[in-house]
Amino acid sequence: MITVDMTKAKSLGNDMRRSMREKYFAPYDRIIELNIPGQEQQRAEAEAKRAIIRERDAVCQAAIDAATTPDQIKQALADFVDA
């Protein structure tokens, strides 16, 4: 019988979540980083989208931390991607 070390599985799941989060943040980080005068609306929109990503990330992290099977971790990550 194969057993899964859930502590390691959760750690890997959270690493994958962080990697996905960085990819989602990247285009908005650039807008914030440039801080071009007169682009306040773009920065506000970028910050609003970053807030949505942070919320989705928090939900995914909570689901991974609460997971009791590898399939639940996979589902949490899939939900993060699909949201």
Side-chain angles (χ1 to χ4, degrees):
M1 174 173 223
I2 297 174
T3 59
V4 175
D5 182 338
M6 285 303 293
T7 302
K8 286 184 182 180
K10 288 178 182 183
S11 178
L12 288 171
N14 278 315
D15 288 345
M16 293 173 71
R17 174 189 55 80
R18 286 183 201 102
S19 176
M20 289 187 301
R21 179 186 62 202
E22 292 305 313
K23 288 178 186 173
Y24 289 137
F25 269 149
Y28 306 114
D29 286 346
R30 185 74 177 139
I31 293 168
I32 301 293
E33 178 183 303
L34 290 175
N35 198 19
I36 299 171
Q39 298 295 322
E40 290 79 17
Q41 172 126 7
Q42 276 188 320
R43 282 195 305 275
E45 290 172 3
E47 198 51 57
K49 291 186 185 211
R50 287 166 44 97
I52 292 168
I53 294 167
R54 280 191 290 275
E55 289 173 19
R56 288 177 32 206
D57 180 64
V59 169
C60 183
Q61 181 177 2
I64 289 171
D65 291 344
T68 57
T69 67
D71 287 335
Q72 290 172 335
I73 295 171
K74 289 177 190 175
Q75 186 59 53
L77 293 168
D79 291 345
F80 186 55
V81 170
D82 293 338

